[in-house]
Amino acid sequence: MRFMLLKHYAPVESGAPTITEWSPEDFKAHVDFQRAHVAELAETGELVEAQALGGPDQVKVVTFEGKGAPVITDGPYTETKELLAGYITVDVDSLERAVEIAAKQSAAPGPNGVPLGEHIELREVLGAPDPEA
């Protein structure tokens, strides 16, 4: 079973400020946690891919109606709750294991090592439709 863990630019349960406001030490601790967790998933063979995504100020929204040039809208956006900060794709044996991984991500350290309580959106990857169906 493949799942994507989607991390959004959104408030966290701990009430921590956005990562751009953290001390360099807190930022490093968070990044070190992320690297260690991804390495752990790679070691168990469960990691498919993990990537951070550019911030809201780098977003481009592309709309195309089939004629002429596409319309490209730039950020930044004041409403960032819909934007992805990053994702991890895992291949696991069960939903329960995917939830366990998502819970660990949710508790990633924030300022002063306090668990963030991030909202991790967990979605099963369904794959392409069966062409015979």
Side-chain angles (χ1 to χ4, degrees), residues 36-51:
H37 191 210
V38 167
E40 176 186 308
L41 294 170
E43 189 174 303
T44 63
E46 296 171 309
L47 179 69
V48 175
E49 182 179 23
Q51 297 293 331

Side-chain angles (χ1 to χ4, degrees), residues 94-108:
S94 66
L95 171 61
E96 291 75 21
R97 176 61 180 142
V99 168
E100 184 179 301
I101 294 167
K104 185 169 184 173
Q105 275 297 308
S106 178

